[in-house]
Amino acid sequence: MDFPVEELKKFALQCGFTHAGELDLKALVFMPEVREMCRAARCRAYGKNWRCPPACGSIEEAAARAAKYSFGMLVQTVGRTEDDFDYETMEKAGKEHAASFVKMMRELKKKYPDILGMGAGTCARCNPCTYPDAPCRFPEDSYSSMEAYGLWVSKVCELSGIPYYYGPNTITYTSCYLLK
Ligand code: SF4
Protein backbone atom coordinates (compact mmCIF):
# COMPACT_ATOMS: atom_id res chain seq x y z
CA MET A 1 0.00 0.00 0.00
CA ASP A 2 1.28 3.47 -0.89
CA PHE A 3 0.99 6.09 1.80
CA PRO A 4 0.54 9.79 0.90
CA VAL A 5 3.60 11.05 2.79
CA GLU A 6 3.36 14.72 1.80
CA GLU A 7 -0.36 14.81 2.43
CA LEU A 8 0.11 13.25 5.87
CA LYS A 9 2.85 15.75 6.75
CA LYS A 10 0.63 18.63 5.71
CA PHE A 11 -2.25 17.19 7.70
CA ALA A 12 -0.01 16.89 10.79
CA LEU A 13 0.75 20.62 10.59
CA GLN A 14 -2.95 21.36 10.19
CA CYS A 15 -3.58 19.34 13.36
CA GLY A 16 -1.25 21.67 15.23
CA PHE A 17 2.15 19.94 15.15
CA THR A 18 5.14 22.10 14.26
CA HIS A 19 7.10 19.36 12.47
CA ALA A 20 6.37 15.99 10.85
CA GLY A 21 8.25 13.44 8.81
CA GLU A 22 8.34 9.82 7.78
CA LEU A 23 9.53 7.38 10.42
CA ASP A 24 12.06 4.80 9.26
CA LEU A 25 10.58 1.53 10.54
CA LYS A 26 14.09 0.15 10.98
CA ALA A 27 14.49 2.76 13.74
CA LEU A 28 11.87 0.99 15.85
CA VAL A 29 14.15 -0.83 18.25
CA PHE A 30 12.34 -1.74 21.47
CA MET A 31 14.80 -1.58 24.34
CA PRO A 32 14.45 -3.02 27.86
CA GLU A 33 16.85 -0.26 29.00
CA VAL A 34 14.26 2.39 28.18
CA ARG A 35 11.75 0.51 30.31
CA GLU A 36 14.22 0.63 33.17
CA MET A 37 14.49 4.39 32.70
CA CYS A 38 10.69 4.52 32.83
CA ARG A 39 10.79 2.75 36.16
CA ALA A 40 13.16 5.37 37.56
CA ALA A 41 11.68 8.38 35.77
CA ARG A 42 10.56 11.59 37.37
CA CYS A 43 6.98 11.23 36.12
CA ARG A 44 6.54 8.43 38.68
CA ALA A 45 3.85 6.83 36.51
CA TYR A 46 5.46 3.39 36.36
CA GLY A 47 2.98 0.92 37.81
CA LYS A 48 0.37 3.63 38.25
CA ASN A 49 -1.25 4.04 34.84
CA TRP A 50 -2.92 1.63 32.38
CA ARG A 51 -0.89 3.12 29.53
CA CYS A 52 2.47 2.85 31.27
CA PRO A 53 4.60 -0.19 32.05
CA PRO A 54 4.03 -2.82 33.18
CA ALA A 55 0.27 -2.57 32.38
CA CYS A 56 0.85 -1.54 28.73
CA GLY A 57 2.49 -4.88 27.90
CA SER A 58 5.94 -6.32 27.49
CA ILE A 59 8.74 -5.17 25.18
CA GLU A 60 8.27 -8.38 23.17
CA GLU A 61 4.56 -7.66 22.72
CA ALA A 62 5.35 -4.09 21.64
CA ALA A 63 7.86 -5.30 19.04
CA ALA A 64 5.47 -7.97 17.73
CA ARG A 65 2.66 -5.45 17.45
CA ALA A 66 4.79 -2.85 15.66
CA ALA A 67 6.11 -5.46 13.21
CA LYS A 68 2.66 -5.63 11.59
CA TYR A 69 2.88 -2.05 10.29
CA SER A 70 4.32 -0.89 7.00
CA PHE A 71 4.51 2.90 7.42
CA GLY A 72 5.25 5.38 10.17
CA MET A 73 4.97 9.13 10.76
CA LEU A 74 6.83 11.13 13.40
CA VAL A 75 5.11 14.28 14.65
CA GLN A 76 6.57 16.95 16.87
CA THR A 77 5.68 20.08 18.78
CA VAL A 78 8.61 22.43 19.41
CA GLY A 79 8.08 25.09 22.07
CA ARG A 80 10.30 28.19 22.40
CA THR A 81 11.22 28.80 26.02
CA GLU A 82 12.61 31.98 27.59
CA ASP A 83 15.14 30.02 29.65
CA ASP A 84 15.72 26.60 31.21
CA PHE A 85 13.17 27.36 33.92
CA ASP A 86 10.31 28.40 31.69
CA TYR A 87 8.06 25.58 32.92
CA GLU A 88 4.93 27.43 31.81
CA THR A 89 5.93 27.22 28.14
CA MET A 90 7.08 23.62 28.56
CA GLU A 91 3.73 22.63 30.04
CA LYS A 92 1.81 24.59 27.41
CA ALA A 93 3.74 22.95 24.55
CA GLY A 94 3.13 19.53 26.14
CA LYS A 95 -0.60 20.13 26.36
CA GLU A 96 -0.72 21.42 22.78
CA HIS A 97 1.16 18.35 21.61
CA ALA A 98 -1.24 16.01 23.43
CA ALA A 99 -4.25 17.79 21.93
CA SER A 100 -2.78 17.64 18.40
CA PHE A 101 -1.94 13.97 18.90
CA VAL A 102 -5.51 13.03 19.84
CA LYS A 103 -6.95 15.18 17.05
CA MET A 104 -4.81 13.58 14.33
CA MET A 105 -5.28 10.09 15.79
CA ARG A 106 -9.07 10.41 15.66
CA GLU A 107 -8.96 11.61 12.05
CA LEU A 108 -6.45 8.99 10.88
CA LYS A 109 -8.50 6.24 12.52
CA LYS A 110 -11.30 6.92 10.05
CA LYS A 111 -9.03 5.94 7.16
CA TYR A 112 -6.63 3.59 8.97
CA PRO A 113 -8.71 1.77 11.63
CA ASP A 114 -5.78 -0.41 12.75
CA ILE A 115 -3.52 2.59 13.42
CA LEU A 116 -1.08 2.37 16.32
CA GLY A 117 -0.35 5.71 17.93
CA MET A 118 2.40 6.26 20.47
CA GLY A 119 2.30 9.56 22.29
CA ALA A 120 4.61 11.63 24.45
CA GLY A 121 4.38 11.15 28.20
CA THR A 122 1.95 9.48 30.53
CA CYS A 123 -1.76 9.36 29.76
CA ALA A 124 -3.14 12.15 31.92
CA ARG A 125 -6.72 12.02 30.80
CA CYS A 126 -8.09 11.11 34.23
CA ASN A 127 -6.75 12.33 37.52
CA PRO A 128 -6.07 9.94 39.04
CA CYS A 129 -5.86 7.05 36.60
CA THR A 130 -8.12 4.17 37.61
CA TYR A 131 -5.16 1.73 37.62
CA PRO A 132 -5.25 -0.88 39.06
CA ASP A 133 -8.63 -0.84 40.80
CA ALA A 134 -10.96 -0.37 37.81
CA PRO A 135 -10.70 -0.70 34.01
CA CYS A 136 -9.39 2.19 31.90
CA ARG A 137 -12.18 4.72 31.38
CA PHE A 138 -11.22 5.42 27.75
CA PRO A 139 -9.61 2.26 26.35
CA GLU A 140 -10.26 3.33 22.74
CA ASP A 141 -9.04 6.86 23.18
CA SER A 142 -5.94 6.75 25.39
CA TYR A 143 -2.37 5.97 24.35
CA SER A 144 0.97 4.79 25.63
CA SER A 145 4.07 6.87 25.03
CA MET A 146 6.93 5.90 22.73
CA GLU A 147 9.08 5.45 25.85
CA ALA A 148 6.48 3.17 27.45
CA TYR A 149 6.84 0.92 24.41
CA GLY A 150 10.60 0.89 24.98
CA LEU A 151 11.64 3.29 22.23
CA TRP A 152 14.59 5.67 22.59
CA VAL A 153 12.88 8.66 21.05
CA SER A 154 15.95 10.73 20.11
CA LYS A 155 17.44 7.65 18.41
CA VAL A 156 14.23 6.99 16.47
CA CYS A 157 14.31 10.59 15.23
CA GLU A 158 17.99 10.48 14.36
CA LEU A 159 17.68 7.21 12.43
CA SER A 160 14.66 8.65 10.60
CA GLY A 161 16.59 11.79 9.60
CA ILE A 162 14.42 14.09 11.71
CA PRO A 163 15.90 16.47 14.32
CA TYR A 164 15.16 15.83 17.96
CA TYR A 165 16.93 18.91 19.27
CA TYR A 166 16.03 22.30 17.79
CA GLY A 167 18.61 24.40 19.60
CA PRO A 168 18.91 26.35 22.86
CA ASN A 169 15.71 27.44 24.55
CA THR A 170 13.53 24.87 22.85
CA ILE A 171 11.50 21.96 24.16
CA THR A 172 10.44 19.19 21.80
CA TYR A 173 7.64 16.67 22.24
CA THR A 174 7.64 13.74 19.83
CA SER A 175 4.97 11.13 19.05
CA CYS A 176 4.38 8.74 16.18
CA TYR A 177 1.70 6.87 14.26
CA LEU A 178 2.13 3.50 12.62
CA LEU A 179 -0.15 2.65 9.71
CA LYS A 180 -0.95 -0.37 7.62
S1 SF4 B 1 -7.75 7.21 30.08
FE1 SF4 B 1 -7.81 7.52 32.32
S2 SF4 B 1 -8.01 5.42 33.13
FE2 SF4 B 1 -7.30 5.21 31.01
S3 SF4 B 1 -5.04 5.13 31.13
FE3 SF4 B 1 -5.62 7.28 30.80
S4 SF4 B 1 -5.70 8.17 32.86
FE4 SF4 B 1 -5.81 5.91 33.10
Side-chain angles (χ1 to χ4, degrees):
M1 181 175 185
D2 282 337
F3 292 90
V5 185
E6 292 310 314
E7 204 178 294
L8 286 166
K9 280 196 223 172
K10 204 168 146 194
F11 185 54
L13 302 187
Q14 284 168 2
C15 287
F17 294 112
T18 56
H19 301 76
E22 187 171 351
L23 186 160
D24 184 340
L25 294 178
K26 290 196 286 298
L28 293 178
V29 180
F30 297 88
M31 303 167 68
E33 296 88 335
V34 178
R35 276 288 174 92
E36 285 312 307
M37 286 164 64
C38 252
R39 195 195 289 268
R42 276 181 305 164
C43 68
R44 299 198 180 96
Y46 189 97
K48 293 181 181 163
N49 189 297
W50 286 112
R51 295 303 186 182
C52 288
C56 64
S58 69
I59 288 279
E60 292 74 20
E61 285 166 344
R65 195 171 171 201
K68 295 178 184 155
Y69 291 84
S70 49
F71 180 80
M73 280 290 294
L74 277 164
V75 289
Q76 296 176 318
T77 302
V78 178
R80 306 271 162 200
T81 57
E82 285 179 17
D83 53 44
D84 290 350
F85 305 99
D86 185 2
Y87 299 117
E88 198 179 316
T89 301
M90 292 178 202
E91 196 181 331
K92 183 169 172 281
K95 283 185 177 165
E96 286 170 359
H97 183 78
S100 301
F101 179 79
V102 170
K103 185 175 178 185
M104 186 157 172
M105 184 81 182
R106 285 178 180 160
E107 288 304 316
L108 287 176
K109 248 185 192 175
K110 293 175 188 169
K111 192 169 176 191
Y112 307 99
D114 292 328
I115 183 172
L116 172 58
M118 301 183 220
T122 311
C123 176
R125 200 156 169 192
C126 318
N127 187 16
C129 178
T130 58
Y131 184 87
D133 303 317
C136 173
R137 287 197 186 106
F138 305 101
E140 297 300 322
D141 209 19
S142 60
Y143 312 99
S144 296
S145 66
M146 292 177 72
E147 289 93 343
Y149 276 98
L151 293 172
W152 191 292
V153 180
S154 59
K155 204 76 188 158
V156 175
C157 291
E158 185 193 321
L159 293 173
S160 300
I162 292 167
Y164 176 73
Y165 177 62
Y166 286 85
N169 294 338
T170 63
I171 174 95
T172 304
Y173 294 89
T174 302
S175 298
C176 70
Y177 303 103
L178 301 185
L179 309 177
K180 60 180 173 183

